[in-house]
Amino acid sequence: VAMELWGYRAMGGSCLRPFSCELGPLSRPDGSAAFLQGDTSVLAALYGPAEAKGNRELPERAALEVLLRPKTGLPGVGERSREQLLRRTCEAVVLGRLHPRCAVSVVLQVVADGGSLLSCCLNAACMGLLDAGLPLASLFCGVTCALHPDGSLILDPTTRQEQEARAVLTFAIDSAEKKVLMASTKGACSMEEMQQCIAAAQSAADTIFQFYRDSIRRRYSKS
Amino acid sequence: MAARGGVAVEERVGQVVLPGDVLVVPAHPDEDGERLRLGAPPAPHTRLLCGPGLRRCDAGLLVTKCGLLRHRQAAGGAYWVDSQQKRYVPIKGDHAIGIVTAKAGDVFKLDVGGSEQASLSYLAFEGATKRNRPNVQVGDLIYGQFVVANKDMEPEMVCVDSSGRSSGMGIIGQDGFLFKVSLGLIRKLLAPKSEIIQELSQLYPFEMVLGMNGRIWVKARTVQQTLIIVNILEACEYMTAEQRKQAFAKLSGN
């Protein structure tokens, strides 16, 4: 196990699909980002801190809402459940107490789904939050791992790899302490396998955070 | 990660910082941590100002916004993060352009682009008395200053300074053009001896009001000239200094 773990660490970003990001593609929202991971693409639009409507208003912190729009059709139960996962993750890093009685809405539009959709949504949401300039305690990123029936571990799987996999695990990792903010699993896996996936996700997170830094640096190089 | 270990704050000045980065503030030689924690009032010359985008934490300063770290050497030094944002959050003392949305008794409600509408008393104009009310209509543009702006209260604006003079504030005239730019560009324009403003002023005579909330009001002699200035300012957002100089050279040639 230790050997394999090292293998993934040493490979670092090489096992992730190529990713790219565009900051501020939309003019109307307060912050926006388009995140691409291989064939998966998500567009995030962020509004806020804006005035909260009616019962949504919280007296001591900002009310965060996440809306996940599928590529076609209306959002269903699956989208609702993902929205909650994304909302909780965002709430963990956003310093909402600095904007009481305000509302922050994150709208995520799936442009293309080629696997690892939830991790792409997480990355798009984080870049959107960065672009909007909301106060954050740290950053987060999403990493999806797929466990193959033969026991091998695939980071950032494609739709096909996800279908073949025995279990698919998605983690949100924060940048400050590399802690797991959110975990979502589909399928069965052992305790050791889960630990192995977390370790692989944590090492992949470094690559993603470095990518975040490079994207932001590129954006600010013009000013 | 390097950020967690904490980087000395001076090393990062002028560089891009991201939320979660910890910046270590150099300890003053004659002050040890023990005394600071006990709440001994630090001498004024060592007071460190922690501006937008930064918060204090155990290890030093915690970055909460992405952007370029800036530093000013005055009274112990001030650090802040210069970030490109679109959404305005009212800050006490800021000058902003508001749009009157309602007249409710003694106060006007102004949309300043923040999360809440700002209030403006009808007495907060130069020369206004209970008898002599200012002529303000819904939809008017008002340039004023925030006297109350914090996260827990409704922001309040005034159009007079502490001595009761308008000092440039008040209702903005009927014509002209209002548009929005990012807050980063506004700060760049309002910087003392801003290059963009100096270059623009060589083109034509024009009037301009810059609000810290990202709103700009421009009026030149003709509508065409007004729109040219608007287009230049909007384009400045995405141009480097070099590209801007080329664009200005092209315009002044015509």
Side-chain angles (χ1 to χ4, degrees), chain A residues 29-30 51 101 136 213 220, chain B residues 21 64 84 86-87 151:
Chain A
D30 298 315
E51 195 164 0
R101 294 169 291 110
L136 307 173
R213 200 169 281 273
Y220 280 92
Chain B
D21 288 2
T64 61
Q84 293 277 352
K86 283 201 236 170
R87 172 66 69 162
K151 62 185 169 69

Side-chain angles (χ1 to χ4, degrees), chain B residues 195-196 199-200 202-203 232 235-236 238-254:
Chain B
E195 274 184 33
I196 304 174
E199 287 165 21
L200 264 177
Q202 284 161 10
L203 285 177
I232 293 171
C236 279
Y238 308 103
M239 283 196 288
T240 58
E242 200 58 34
Q243 288 171 318
R244 197 180 63 232
K245 288 211 170 75
Q246 283 176 358
F248 275 112
K250 218 189 253 174
L251 271 166
S252 49
N254 296 346

Side-chain angles (χ1 to χ4, degrees), chain A residues 127-167:
Chain A
M127 286 313 256
L129 287 168
L130 270 182
D131 188 52
L134 261 106
L136 307 173
S138 68
L139 302 173
F140 62 88
C141 73
V143 186
T144 302
C145 311
L147 283 168
H148 239 250
D150 63 12
S152 66
L153 194 158
I154 303 161
L155 278 172
D156 200 18
T158 61
T159 314
R160 204 203 158 110
Q161 286 168 327
E162 275 183 353
Q163 279 162 357
E164 287 168 355
R166 177 160 54 87

Side-chain angles (χ1 to χ4, degrees), chain A residues 38-60:
Chain A
D39 294 330
T40 312
S41 168
V42 174
L43 186 61
L46 218 126
Y47 300 84
E51 195 164 0
K53 289 185 214 78
N55 54 359
R56 227 176 253 292
E57 185 178 296
L58 298 170
E60 84 292 357

